[in-house]
Amino acid sequence: TQEQELAESYKVKGYPTLIFFKKGSPIDYSGGRQADDIVAWLKKKTGPPALEVSSAEQAKELIAANNVIIFGFFPDQDSEKAKVFLNAAGLVDDQVFAIVSDEKLVEELEAQAEDVVLFKNFEDTRNKYEGEEFSEDVLKSWVFVQSMPTIVEFSHETASKIFGGQIKYHLLLFLSKKNGDFEKY
């Protein structure tokens, strides 16, 4: 409200608005409103797109610590697929990505070179990407779809993920928590 010209130049329409500048270029924040969401987004923007994993113990700790984490198994990080993976990792703000380069570790983690595997702590806990096309957009869509539970309780936090994402058709079930049978369904 004090710097109206500045706000207008960056098209600020509501408050609070977060804009991150990287090498002078503005990046609008579109994530959640919780502190954890904001911190995760900032870490993603200021650090490497994917964490380097150097041991099986580190991989297991990362899998346990994150609801969803996507691993790329690329002994050659300069390969075309590795570059696509890292670019996609930089574009997906709300998930953690990790990369494994050590060939022995790739085997130890029951993967093969150039596999992309999404680990999650619900439903199918290990999902390997098996699509024909390997592009940033396709990988982003796959990550979005695989990282969403089949059934999501509607709330302020989940609304944008449900209706603002790649999944265009939804089946809605309305239940009252007061009836006492909510968990059953």
Side-chain angles (χ1 to χ4, degrees):
T1 58
Q2 292 178 348
E3 300 290 339
Q4 290 185 351
E5 283 183 38
L6 183 62
E8 285 176 24
S9 70
Y10 288 104
K11 298 177 180 74
V12 173
K13 292 182 174 65
Y15 303 97
T17 296
L18 299 175
I19 301 174
F20 181 79
F21 290 86
K22 190 168 190 172
K23 297 183 181 175
S25 298
I27 301 169
D28 290 333
Y29 175 73
S30 60
R33 295 288 179 194
Q34 304 299 319
D36 291 346
D37 297 329
I38 296 168
V39 169
W41 187 82
L42 283 170
K43 284 183 178 178
K44 188 81 172 201
K45 294 297 178 197
T46 58
L51 303 169
E52 293 267 350
V53 176
S54 56
S55 71
E57 294 79 29
Q58 181 188 12
K60 289 173 186 167
E61 287 172 10
L62 285 169
I63 292 167
N66 293 282
N67 288 336
V68 175
I69 185 166
I70 302 90
F71 275 75
F73 297 94
F74 297 100
D76 178 9
Q77 286 193 29
D78 292 325
S79 72
E80 282 306 307
K81 280 190 170 182
K83 289 177 184 175
V84 167
F85 175 80
L86 291 169
N87 288 340
L91 296 171
V92 178
D93 293 332
D94 57 346
Q95 301 301 345
V96 177
F97 284 71
I99 191 162
V100 177
S101 298
D102 184 305
E103 290 182 38
K104 289 180 184 175
L105 185 55
V106 170
E107 264 183 54
E108 192 176 338
L109 294 171
E110 298 175 11
Q112 296 177 352
E114 299 199 333
D115 278 356
V116 174
V117 180
L118 182 141
F119 293 93
K120 55 189 176 182
N121 64 6
F122 55 90
E123 297 169 2
D124 296 329
T125 57
R126 181 186 176 109
N127 300 86
K128 179 180 170 186
Y129 177 76
E130 298 194 34
E132 294 292 319
E133 185 182 344
F134 197 84
S135 69
E136 291 166 18
D137 288 339
V138 170
L139 201 54
K140 276 176 42 181
S141 294
W142 178 79
V143 166
F144 180 83
V145 170
Q146 293 301 317
S147 63
M148 289 289 289
T150 304
I151 298 174
V152 180
E153 183 177 345
F154 183 81
S155 69
H156 180 69
E157 290 80 32
T158 60
S160 64
K161 287 186 178 183
I162 294 170
F163 296 114
Q166 320 267 315
I167 301 169
K168 300 300 177 199
Y169 300 102
H170 307 278
L171 177 61
L172 303 177
L173 174 63
F174 296 91
L175 295 172
S176 171
K177 283 188 169 182
K178 295 176 184 171
N179 285 349
D181 58 0
F182 180 80
E183 290 302 320
K184 176 178 133 183
Y185 290 105

